[in-house]
Amino acid sequence: MKYLYKFIALFFLFIGAVFFFGQDIPELSVATTTETSLQASTFPVIYLQVNDYTLNTLHGYSSEMNSGAVRESITPLDASKKFTVKIEQNKSKIKKLNYELCDIANNKILETKELSAFNTKQKFRTADIKINEGLDTSTEYGLQITLTTSYSKKIHFYTRIKYYGTDCYLKEKLDFVTAFHQATFDKGKSFDISPYLEANTNDDSTFANVDIHSSRSLIMWKKLNPKKISDIVPTIKEINIETASIYQDYYVQANTDSGQETYHVKEFYRVRYSANRIYLLAFNRTMEAFFDPDLISLTKSEFKIGITKQKNLDISSSDSNEKVAFVRNGELWYYDLNKNKLTWVFTFSHDSSDLMRNNYEQHDIKILRIDDNGNISFMLYGYINCGDYEGRVGILLYDYNAANNQINERVYIPLATTYQQLKEDLGEFSYLNKKDIFYFSLNDIVYAYNITSKRYDILTEHAALDNFTMLEAAKCFVWSNANEKGQTNTITILNLDTSKKLKVSAPANENISVLGTIDSNIVYGFIKNSDIYESTTGDVVKPAYQLIISDCEGAILRKYKIKSYYVTNATVEDNVIHLKRVKKQNGKFVDAKDDTIMNQKDISKTSINLTTRVTQKTLTETYLSLPAGFVLKKKPEVFSTKNILVTQNTTLHLEDKDLFQSEKYYIYAYGEITQSTSSASKAITTADEQMGSVMDNNSHIVWERGGKFLSKQLSNISYPSDTESTIKACTQMLLQSAQVTKTVSELKGGSILSMLKNDLDCPVNLTGCTVDEILYFVSCERPVIGMLNNNHAVLITEYTSSSVTWMDPATHSKKTVSLTAAERMFEDAGYRFVSYIN
């Protein structure tokens, strides 16, 4: 019994203690509310060592990606097919490494292996890898390296592999880049950079964007004298036998007229090795200053942005102009003019001891709104460098509460992509209304997500085809719901605040097309169905006989209509609408003189402006000017948010069927994606100008500057028996090369492209490309159809460094002309080409 008494006594003692201490202990919430701190990054970083060179810094992903889509680096291998993985563990303890080699073209795993034995060398754990699989020369393969931590967490890293059995002169190319870079800091004492420059009259007044055409003194930093404060590891972006694109970034500090400043510097080199010497084909260096509150100018009431190539920062102010938010270096800042209080709202850079890891700039922030209380809604998108989502890529919608200095997480959208692709796929259409409906566009699809009900609707699945656009000042979306042929009889105008839709319809047997916007107004046109036509190479032309300028309420402000003239394209610059026109003659459309429409534009002066100053040491610098009449009497108090509040499950998973990607081409240049477009020819011409490459959204390499062989000859292509139409004959011959058996009579379609689409996954319209540019396709074993005039097609199958050869169905013979002559002939015919992508 004594045990029973003890139990009862202890029980009542426990109850009493709970009651007593419970009076002073706050009740813990049982809701899902949690706080996550913005701690420093924890993931390891990988470097690859090829022979004696450490290169290619790789950052880890929490989820697996398509290794062909991650184009952060390429690792060249020689005949030994060996390289070393160097792991800087950070706060993660690594227990094993797996690697997976993938055939990108066929999405097939070629080789896998697990390693658990590591060596230790200085601060690195290292593992040696030898690829055993046979590799094709000059072919890209995807490599996924997976590290498993002591807590069984898997972290994935990606690079591409390119094999050369003979020398690709990696050592010579890297040695040159190192020597050139070092010479810019030691004033050329170790190496003379002058013979490699193409200095001209380019702007020499800024460090923000320096290139091969800049002066020698600007490239050597003039009077700035910066000091490097981080290591430099080169990243190979592209490599071929002759050429290589090499990128490197680092941090410097310099003493300026304002004080000591820190800068992020990025360098891009494109070099060619030939005849035992190096040629510098391109050099570009950008420089961005860190925002430092200590450098605020009291004399002019300005915030110093410093050296930057950005012409427009993301700046928003409240209606009262008393609250200001701006984005700088992927960080969000908020300033309260009345309280003279500056808040560092969001950053991934909480630890300045490791700049390269914690300032990994693969994300950005967009301000959606700021109210008179200083509350801010903003969107973060890209690679998440720390916190609960470390190593993931996605979109995060946040609310900042100024009174509590607290960030609330509203929506998290995880995505299997890279920041470089996401910044192109995301578009500029983002809005959050007061009903908590979040509008955003992704992969040409426009979503309306109700945060309260956690349901989303799709407004349109083909934003590019539907000429989707946003009128930010009027707070409305405009789009047309096009069918598969790109035809539509209705446009929709959506008021983002009220969610009300207004539809404008075309008359019977006509189309309506959104052509652009100007101020808060819409420009659209009416097209007769009978006037729509398809060019020989597959472009759909929709000539509008009438243009309308309308407001978002549907009220018509102006009409444009001239007899026999039709508008095929409209672009807006400032208050002028530029019209591309055609004229109907004898039932056919011919090019006509362009025209313009002047618009009475409301010029509204913003209260927050960017200004520039010039000094001898730092040259051109940018400042953020506060509203006129406001005087900064002393430097503001600086605060920062420490935690993010999560009160519910915020994750929005977009269904795979709702993530359909329309055709898109990405231009890779200067170490990143610089642009994307739905036109392959525009992507190629831009990549050629920028000395880059093109990849489509299916991870196919479409085109590479300097990627073609010096000569190529395609064989085993025969003429069809029916060559009455050279266009159809060449289409049949091109299908032969793609291993498609079809007779001329079986070809269906109104253009070369439409005929090819019946049998090929990726036919491509190359109209607008030069002959030199389209020869890349021949180099890749894909012939090209070229038009000599409107009715005469030939098949280009051979080239050398000085000549081009094509098969002509009209004569059943080959013709060889000089490269110069071919360029002139096809240029006169409008540079109309068609081929395909494997």
Side-chain angles (χ1 to χ4, degrees):
M1 289 295 293
K2 65 179 180 180
Y3 294 109
L4 178 59
Y5 294 147
K6 284 184 179 180
F7 174 80
I8 293 172
L10 289 171
F11 176 79
F12 281 107
L13 180 62
F14 172 77
I15 295 297
V18 170
F19 176 80
F20 177 81
F21 290 108
Q23 306 305 304
D24 297 315
I25 299 176
E27 184 178 349
L28 293 174
S29 172
V30 294
T32 57
T33 300
T34 61
E35 282 190 358
T36 175
S37 62
L38 294 173
Q39 69 270 24
S41 58
T42 63
F43 277 16
V45 173
I46 280 181
Y47 307 90
L48 303 180
Q49 182 175 319
V50 178
N51 297 323
D52 296 327
Y53 293 89
T54 297
L55 46 85
N56 295 354
T57 305
L58 308 183
H59 292 261
Y61 292 86
S62 292
S63 54
E64 291 192 76
M65 310 272 280
N66 177 352
S67 61
V70 184
R71 296 183 66 82
E72 295 173 354
S73 66
I74 190 163
T75 305
L77 299 183
D78 58 19
S80 69
K81 293 190 284 188
K82 292 180 180 179
F83 64 97
T84 299
V85 178
K86 300 172 69 175
I87 306 165
E88 192 174 351
Q89 292 190 100
N90 199 7
K91 297 177 182 179
S92 301
K93 303 302 179 185
I94 305 304
K95 66 177 183 179
K96 67 178 179 179
L97 176 153
N98 294 74
Y99 72 82
E100 188 175 273
L101 183 69
C102 177
D103 180 341
I104 296 173
N106 301 308
N107 197 26
K108 179 183 177 183
I109 304 301
L110 301 178
E111 180 175 321
T112 61
K113 192 172 182 180
E114 178 179 308
L115 302 172
S116 56
F118 297 94
N119 297 316
T120 301
K121 188 175 182 181
Q122 296 176 338
K123 61 180 180 179
F124 300 107
R125 299 195 78 191
T126 66
D128 297 325
I129 293 179
K130 183 181 188 307
I131 302 297
N132 296 309
E133 182 71 22
L135 302 177
D136 293 333
T137 299
S138 195
T139 299
E140 290 189 8
Y141 297 87
L143 183 72
Q144 174 180 297
I145 299 171
T146 300
L147 301 182
T148 304
T149 71
S150 56
Y151 293 101
S152 297
K153 181 176 179 60
K154 295 183 185 297
I155 305 171
H156 311 282
F157 301 80
Y158 298 90
T159 186
R160 292 166 290 144
I161 293 290
K162 209 169 189 181
Y163 168 73
Y164 290 99
T166 56
D167 197 352
C168 68
Y169 307 107
L170 176 64
K171 179 182 184 302
E172 288 80 359
K173 295 166 185 174
L174 286 172
D175 284 348
F176 173 83
V177 168
T178 300
F180 188 100
H181 165 81
Q182 189 56 39
T184 64
F185 282 88
D186 66 13
K187 306 299 182 185
K189 294 177 183 177
S190 59
F191 180 84
D192 184 11
I193 68 172
S194 300
Y196 301 97
L197 304 181
E198 300 174 15
N200 55 23
T201 55
N202 265 23
D203 180 16
D204 219 25
S205 65
T206 177
F207 287 116
N209 202 349
V210 178
D211 61 26
I212 196 172
H213 303 294
S214 300
S215 70
R216 181 177 182 272
S217 63
L218 184 67
I219 293 174
M220 290 187 168
W221 305 100
K222 289 198 169 183
K223 297 180 179 180
L224 187 61
N225 195 30
K227 304 297 182 185
K228 285 179 279 188
I229 59 173
S230 66
D231 295 333
I232 298 179
V233 177
T235 296
I236 313 297
K237 292 293 183 177
E238 306 292 342
I239 192 161
N240 295 292
I241 290 289
E242 285 196 339
T243 62
S245 295
I246 300 169
Y247 165 89
Q248 52 193 26
D249 69 329
Y250 54 96
Y251 294 86
V252 299
Q253 284 183 341
N255 292 317
T256 72
D257 294 341
S258 302
Q260 189 179 74
E261 297 193 54
T262 304
Y263 304 92
H264 188 184
V265 183
K266 300 176 182 179
E267 293 180 347
F268 175 83
Y269 300 81
R270 184 172 176 82
V271 298
R272 179 163 66 92
Y273 181 84
S274 179
N276 296 317
R277 66 159 292 184
I278 287 282
Y279 298 87
L280 181 62
L281 304 178
F283 167 73
N284 183 262
R285 185 180 72 208
T286 62
M287 186 176 186
E288 293 289 333
F290 278 37
F291 176 70
D292 186 346
D294 287 336
L295 305 180
I296 288 174
S297 171
L298 294 178
T299 57
K300 294 195 175 183
S301 297
E302 293 179 337
F303 287 4
K304 183 173 184 179
I305 302 301
I307 295 172
T308 179
K309 67 175 181 177
Q310 291 183 272
K311 302 299 182 184
N312 296 295
L313 299 181
D314 186 0
I315 305 171
S316 295
S317 60
S318 62
D319 292 339
S320 65
N321 286 325
E322 294 173 350
K323 310 290 191 297
V324 179
F326 62 95
V327 177
R328 180 68 178 139
N329 307 121
E331 300 175 336
L332 177 61
W333 293 84
Y334 159 65
Y335 180 59
D336 186 325
L337 280 72
N338 287 333
K339 297 179 179 178
N340 196 24
K341 177 181 173 183
L342 181 65
T343 304
W344 202 356
V345 176
F346 190 95
T347 181
F348 284 142
S349 308
H350 285 281
D351 182 2
S352 60
S353 63
D354 192 340
L355 289 167
M356 296 304 295
R357 188 198 308 274
N358 294 304
N359 288 275
Y360 183 50
E361 294 180 359
Q362 291 297 301
H363 72 278
D364 208 348
I365 291 173
K366 181 176 182 180
I367 301 168
L368 302 185
R369 70 182 182 202
I370 177 172
D371 65 21
D372 283 339
N373 294 317
N375 300 317
I376 307 168
S377 294
F378 65 98
M379 181 177 68
L380 179 143
Y381 58 96
Y383 180 89
I384 303 167
N385 200 32
C386 62
D388 291 346
Y389 304 126
E390 183 175 3
R392 298 189 182 278
V393 175
I395 301 169
L396 278 156
L397 177 66
Y398 291 120
D399 280 345
Y400 169 70
N401 186 295
N404 299 329
N405 193 27
Q406 181 73 61
I407 297 174
N408 297 318
E409 183 181 307
R410 305 296 308 282
V411 180
Y412 165 55
I413 307 172
L415 299 167
T417 186
T418 65
Y419 165 68
Q420 289 295 321
Q421 286 194 4
L422 177 57
K423 69 183 176 70
E424 298 298 324
D425 294 343
L426 187 60
E428 299 179 358
F429 313 118
S430 305
Y431 190 81
L432 178 68
N433 69 14
K434 294 180 181 179
K435 296 180 179 180
D436 273 350
I437 298 176
F438 177 37
Y439 297 96
F440 63 97
S441 65
L442 185 65
N443 297 325
D444 232 15
I445 302 170
V446 184
Y447 301 87
Y449 177 55
N450 189 313
I451 299 174
T452 304
S453 65
K454 299 187 181 302
R455 296 175 62 89
Y456 69 84
D457 294 316
I458 292 176
L459 301 182
T460 171
E461 294 182 335
H462 305 285
L465 191 65
D466 292 342
N467 300 301
F468 184 92
T469 189
M470 177 181 182
L471 282 79
E472 191 167 359
K475 299 179 181 177
C476 69
F477 282 168
V478 185
W479 72 92
S480 55
N481 289 319
N483 60 22
E484 292 181 355
K485 295 182 180 180
Q487 299 178 2
T488 181
N489 59 7
T490 305
I491 64 173
T492 302
I493 304 171
L494 172 69
N495 185 304
L496 298 175
D497 282 333
T498 65
S499 299
K500 290 183 178 179
K501 294 180 181 178
L502 172 68
K503 293 185 181 294
V504 180
S505 299
N509 301 316
E510 292 189 11
N511 266 241
I512 185 171
S513 178
V514 179
L515 295 173
T517 64
I518 186 163
D519 295 339
S520 299
N521 304 318
I522 310 154
V523 183
Y524 60 88
F526 291 113
I527 307 108
K528 293 179 180 178
N529 291 351
S530 57
D531 287 337
I532 299 173
Y533 64 95
E534 193 175 10
S535 69
T536 304
T537 51
D539 291 318
V540 177
V541 183
K542 296 187 287 184
Y545 69 87
Q546 184 180 39
L547 251 60
I548 302 291
I549 300 177
S550 155
D551 65 19
C552 285
E553 303 299 322
I556 296 175
L557 306 177
R558 187 168 180 178
K559 295 182 179 180
Y560 175 91
K561 184 177 181 180
I562 300 178
K563 186 178 179 180
S564 299
Y565 284 87
Y566 299 78
V567 176
T568 58
N569 187 37
T571 56
V572 177
E573 293 181 15
D574 295 326
N575 65 329
V576 180
I577 305 174
H578 298 269
L579 306 177
K580 195 79 176 174
R581 302 189 304 169
V582 293
K583 187 176 182 179
K584 185 177 279 190
Q585 291 181 345
N586 301 321
K588 292 186 177 181
F589 289 103
V590 296
D591 290 338
K593 186 179 179 181
D594 295 349
D595 200 2
T596 58
I597 301 176
M598 298 295 292
N599 185 68
Q600 291 298 107
K601 184 177 181 181
D602 293 330
I603 301 174
S604 56
K605 294 183 178 179
T606 58
S607 60
I608 311 294
N609 296 295
L610 292 179
T611 62
T612 59
R613 300 188 208 169
V614 178
T615 69
Q616 284 192 338
K617 183 174 284 189
T618 51
L619 306 182
T620 303
E621 295 182 301
T622 298
Y623 285 79
L624 189 153
S625 296
L626 297 171
F630 177 78
V631 178
L632 263 173
K633 296 180 179 179
K634 63 177 182 178
K635 289 185 179 180
E637 291 183 272
V638 180
F639 300 84
S640 64
T641 54
K642 298 295 184 184
N643 301 292
I644 296 175
L645 190 69
V646 184
T647 59
Q648 56 183 323
N649 180 11
T650 65
T651 304
L652 166 60
H653 290 286
L654 299 176
E655 297 183 31
D656 289 342
K657 67 181 181 67
D658 293 336
L659 281 170
F660 169 79
Q661 289 190 346
S662 57
E663 196 172 74
K664 183 176 282 189
Y665 302 93
Y666 302 95
I667 297 106
Y668 286 82
Y670 312 126
E672 60 185 12
I673 296 180
T674 59
Q675 194 177 326
S676 65
T677 174
S678 59
S679 167
S681 60
K682 288 181 181 177
I684 290 169
T685 54
T686 302
D688 199 4
E689 292 169 1
Q690 298 179 355
M691 296 191 178
S693 58
V694 178
M695 190 179 79
D696 69 10
N697 54 329
N698 294 310
S699 302
H700 297 131
I701 299 171
V702 176
W703 188 89
E704 288 181 273
R705 171 74 179 256
K708 71 177 189 290
F709 295 111
L710 294 177
S711 62
K712 192 71 175 182
Q713 179 178 355
L714 306 184
S715 55
N716 299 322
I717 301 174
S718 58
Y719 295 100
S721 57
D722 181 0
T723 56
E724 183 177 350
S725 166
T726 58
I727 292 173
K728 286 193 171 183
C730 284
T731 303
Q732 190 271 348
M733 293 158 67
L734 186 142
L735 287 171
Q736 279 186 52
S737 73
Q739 308 301 312
V740 175
T741 303
K742 209 152 196 176
T743 64
V744 168
S745 61
E746 291 174 325
L747 297 175
K748 306 295 180 185
S751 66
I752 297 171
L753 207 64
S754 57
M755 287 187 283
L756 292 175
K757 282 181 177 178
N758 295 321
D759 297 286
L760 299 179
D761 291 333
C762 300
V764 60
N765 185 349
L766 301 174
T767 298
C769 293
T770 65
V771 172
D772 183 66
E773 288 165 350
I774 62 96
L775 291 179
Y776 174 85
F777 288 81
V778 181
S779 177
C780 297
E781 307 280 341
R782 302 189 294 270
V784 177
I785 299 173
M787 301 298 299
L788 293 176
N789 57 46
N790 288 339
N791 301 306
H792 190 176
V794 294
L795 191 71
I796 302 170
T797 58
E798 301 176 32
Y799 70 88
T800 67
S801 58
S802 59
S803 67
V804 178
T805 300
W806 58 73
M807 299 175 67
D808 190 343
T811 61
H812 278 236
S813 62
K814 289 185 176 182
K815 183 172 183 177
T816 300
V817 301
S818 70
L819 187 59
T820 303
E823 200 76 63
R824 184 176 62 251
M825 293 169 70
F826 286 109
E827 182 181 14
D828 291 342
Y831 276 141
R832 289 176 289 173
F833 303 105
V834 176
S835 188
Y836 64 97
I837 303 168
N838 284 336

